[in-house]
Amino acid sequence: MIKGIDVSSYQSEKYDTEGMDFVFIKITEGRSYTNPKWVAQRKTARDAGLVTGFYHFGRAGNVTEQADYFLSKINLVAGDMLVLDWEDPGVSNASKDKWIKYVQKKRPDHKVLLYCNTDFWLNRDTTSFAGDGLWIAHYNGKPGKPGIKHSWRFHQYTDKPVDTNLGHFESRSSLRKWAGGSAG
């Protein structure tokens, strides 16, 4: 397992990357919000050699317009991962699936994942569709054991002092290779 964090506008532009292999950065929410720190947060990650992922916090409404808004903000490089953050109960399972499939079609060279907590996965999800991988949040005190049967790629296990995750990969280079970047 490898370790990483996720950051949003609540975190600094420069954050501690010591011992980290990857970072997920919030870029957008809905069709109008953009994290004002995301470009600097990406620079911090890239300067540290971390594998990067970017996420969109989905809101009720037109999900393809939200996906286009999200994608319009990013200048992607090989190996960047894209994620739908599914936490709003106003976003249906069908809308979740539509967003992921749409982004997969628009950016076929990038892994597209689903982030959600165990309540959404076990009680709201009806298709078990997570695109290229599931990033599951469950603060159960068991890092790397999120308490679900479905295969997963990332487990967010705490938010103290920052959202911290384990990746189900042997090494940073294996994650980079899986994500479509060079294995170096």
Side-chain angles (χ1 to χ4, degrees):
M1 299 261 186
I2 59 174
K3 193 172 183 181
I5 59 172
D6 56 280
V7 297
S8 68
S9 62
Y10 295 108
Q11 284 75 43
S12 172
E13 294 175 352
K14 294 183 184 282
Y15 46 88
D16 187 11
T17 60
E18 180 83 25
M20 299 298 149
D21 295 296
F22 62 90
V23 64
F24 288 104
I25 302 166
K26 179 179 182 177
I27 295 185
T28 55
E29 182 172 327
R31 293 182 299 180
S32 60
Y33 174 79
T34 302
N35 170 4
K37 298 177 183 177
W38 86 266
V39 172
Q41 290 170 331
R42 177 184 62 190
K43 182 177 182 344
T44 298
R46 295 226 167 112
D47 287 352
L50 304 184
V51 179
T52 52
F54 303 101
Y55 70 93
H56 171 77
F57 190 101
R59 290 292 186 189
N62 187 312
V63 293
T64 56
E65 287 179 7
Q66 290 184 54
D68 286 337
Y69 178 70
F70 170 66
L71 294 172
S72 76
K73 302 297 178 187
I74 311 171
N75 184 7
L76 295 168
V77 300
D80 286 345
M81 299 172 286
L82 305 171
V83 182
L84 173 63
D85 181 342
W86 187 37
E87 295 182 68
D88 184 335
V91 178
S92 69
N93 186 88
S95 292
K96 175 261 298 179
D97 289 356
K98 185 176 182 179
W99 190 97
I100 294 170
K101 289 174 183 175
Y102 181 78
V103 173
Q104 285 178 316
K105 185 176 178 184
K106 297 278 278 192
R107 297 295 183 271
D109 295 336
H110 295 273
K111 297 293 186 185
V112 182
L113 298 96
L114 172 68
Y115 168 91
C116 66
N117 62 37
T118 52
D119 175 59
F120 270 67
W121 187 251
L122 298 172
N123 301 313
R124 295 177 189 268
D125 181 82
T126 58
T127 59
S128 297
F129 181 68
D132 297 308
L134 178 62
W135 173 18
I136 191 79
H138 191 200
Y139 301 172
N140 60 356
K142 299 176 184 176
K145 297 181 181 185
I148 60 169
K149 292 179 182 175
H150 191 84
S151 64
W152 54 274
R153 290 287 179 177
F154 299 96
H155 174 203
Q156 183 183 84
Y157 62 90
T158 187
D159 60 357
K160 307 278 188 271
V162 63
D163 290 348
T164 308
N165 306 271
L166 288 179
H168 203 255
F169 297 89
E170 291 179 15
S171 64
R172 181 187 304 184
S173 64
S174 64
L175 168 58
R176 190 175 310 282
K177 184 176 179 183
W178 175 82
S182 66

